[in-house]
Amino acid sequence: MLLSACGTPELCGDRVVWGPTGDRIELAKNDRLFVCGDPSHPSWKKIPPKQAETFMRSYLESKGYLEPKITIDFDAERVVVETGKRAVVTALISAGAVPHGWETDPLETNLGQPLEKNTLDRIEQDTLSVLKSMGYPCADVALRAHPDGRVILDLKPGQLAKFPPAYNAGDYPIADDILERFEPFTPGDPYSVKKTILAARRMEGAGVVSSANYLAECEPARTEAPSDAQIVRLERNASFGPKRSWEIGFGASTEEYPLAFVRWKNSRLWSSASQFQAELFGSNIRQKLGFDLRYYHSSEDRRLYIRPGFQVERRKEKQYEI
């Protein structure tokens, strides 16, 4: 029992084993192939010790074990792996061309996370999102991680930008300027990526497009100055599904017991992308039939519309509360 307690769990038989200290990590099936090989394939039956050591070092570093101890006994063709202590993010330090008003508070949710590739990728994306929301659409950042957990953010924000005119990326089945209706910005306004996200959600929520996004095209820096990159074009991308959709639902409540509805919607009438909806609802207490048209009639202001509608409803109530 004493010998069993002091023994080290095996990774690959007696060829690659865990050392007496450090964590034991469960390797995924595909990762084990690069360390243990595959007996069913002649060329993969036996992995050379140096190759196993190189892969394990790279694998452990990607998981946040930045100082593993891996030794090779070439006579016994044996590799002993000790992971060492797993590094975590302890500090985020800003460097480079730090813009006015920059704060790392939105990024501090990453503190205490393992110092691994996924964490660094998340910090990079979070940093770019903050810079773009501050008005720097051409921002870039380079990360430098240290074993003690410090992550250096080398900021390259580019130029503080204003919205240029947005251009459709393709030939869309509506008038060219229709999608401007949903944009909470006009050319010349201070740039913010949050406004482009809001515009896309408005388009999708109205049912005019299936999905939408904006792509800022940037002109590379002409000099070595990290703040020289600037936006030159804002591309509006949209995908379109069927114009018409059906929605059918049924259920029950404590007041109306069984209920059901049928809804039909046309989200792109004519080139102005006007909308028409018809709905039939029924329960044991009320029945309703309604029609609604949202007609965009103005070519000068695409946000103006006329909304004619018709509804007939019957209710049978004795004591009814909503």
Side-chain angles (χ1 to χ4, degrees):
M1 291 180 64
L2 181 61
L3 291 175
S4 175
C6 293
T8 56
E10 298 176 351
L11 268 172
C12 311
D14 59 353
R15 293 186 296 109
V16 184
V17 298
W18 292 116
T21 64
D23 298 333
R24 274 67 167 163
I25 302 173
E26 183 68 27
L27 270 66
K29 182 178 179 180
N30 289 338
D31 293 321
R32 288 184 63 87
L33 290 176
F34 292 96
V35 181
C36 306
D38 185 352
S40 64
H41 292 80
S43 59
W44 281 83
K45 277 186 177 181
K46 190 174 183 180
I47 301 297
K50 185 61 179 176
Q51 180 178 328
E53 183 265 344
T54 301
F55 179 82
M56 282 301 301
R57 187 175 301 278
S58 175
Y59 179 82
L60 290 173
E61 288 177 352
S62 73
K63 296 297 182 182
Y65 297 92
L66 303 183
E67 296 179 330
K69 181 182 178 182
I70 306 177
T71 57
I72 302 176
D73 185 342
F74 286 99
D75 293 332
E77 294 188 337
R78 191 182 195 195
V79 180
V80 179
V81 181
E82 297 184 58
T83 62
K85 185 178 179 181
R86 193 178 198 185
V88 298
V89 180
T90 58
L92 299 171
I93 301 173
S94 303
V98 180
H100 177 70
W102 167 258
E103 295 181 352
T104 59
D105 292 356
L107 313 177
E108 291 182 355
T109 55
N110 296 289
L111 294 177
Q113 297 298 312
L115 192 59
E116 59 184 8
K117 183 180 184 301
N118 289 341
T119 301
L120 294 176
D121 289 345
R122 187 166 58 250
I123 292 174
E124 180 181 3
Q125 292 304 315
D126 291 347
T127 302
L128 292 176
S129 296
V130 173
L131 288 171
K132 290 179 180 181
S133 67
M134 293 173 62
Y136 298 94
C138 301
D140 194 11
V141 62
L143 303 185
R144 299 195 305 274
H146 295 267
D148 61 3
R150 292 177 298 132
V151 178
I152 311 299
L153 311 176
D154 186 8
L155 304 179
K156 301 176 183 179
Q159 292 187 1
L160 192 64
K162 296 185 182 296
F163 275 106
Y167 295 89
N168 289 338
D171 184 17
Y172 297 155
I174 54 178
D176 290 341
D177 54 353
I178 285 301
L179 297 181
E180 294 177 6
R181 175 189 305 161
F182 304 95
E183 295 172 348
F185 57 83
T186 56
D189 290 347
Y191 180 88
S192 173
V193 71
K194 292 181 180 179
K195 291 186 176 181
T196 64
I197 295 173
L198 175 59
R201 288 177 178 173
R202 286 177 172 178
M203 297 174 197
E204 295 166 2
V208 175
V209 303
S210 296
S211 63
N213 64 76
Y214 288 78
L215 177 63
E217 297 182 7
C218 297
E219 184 180 63
R222 298 177 182 175
T223 68
E224 294 299 322
S227 60
D228 196 38
Q230 59 181 333
I231 188 172
V232 294
R233 179 183 173 95
L234 184 64
E235 187 177 84
R236 185 192 300 117
N237 296 274
S239 61
F240 295 80
K243 292 182 179 181
R244 290 167 286 276
S245 63
W246 286 93
E247 188 176 358
I248 301 174
F250 60 91
S253 74
T254 56
E255 296 175 340
E256 296 183 272
Y257 308 119
L259 56 89
F261 71 87
V262 178
R263 185 180 299 124
W264 179 77
K265 187 175 183 179
N266 191 325
S267 299
R268 294 198 304 273
L269 285 170
W270 313 295
S271 63
S272 63
S274 297
Q275 300 171 21
F276 174 78
Q277 179 174 294
E279 182 178 18
L280 174 64
F281 175 91
S283 73
N284 62 312
I285 291 179
R286 61 189 174 118
Q287 300 83 46
K288 179 177 68 174
L289 175 64
F291 303 92
D292 184 270
L293 173 66
R294 184 174 296 192
Y295 173 55
Y296 292 88
H297 61 94
S298 174
S299 59
E300 296 181 358
D301 189 339
R302 294 289 183 174
R303 290 182 174 88
L304 292 177
Y305 60 87
I306 299 173
R307 190 174 182 179
F310 172 80
Q311 179 174 302
V312 57
E313 183 172 353
R314 173 182 178 274
R315 288 174 178 257
K316 181 181 180 182
E317 301 176 342
K318 292 184 179 179
Q319 185 174 353
Y320 189 73
E321 296 178 357
I322 297 177

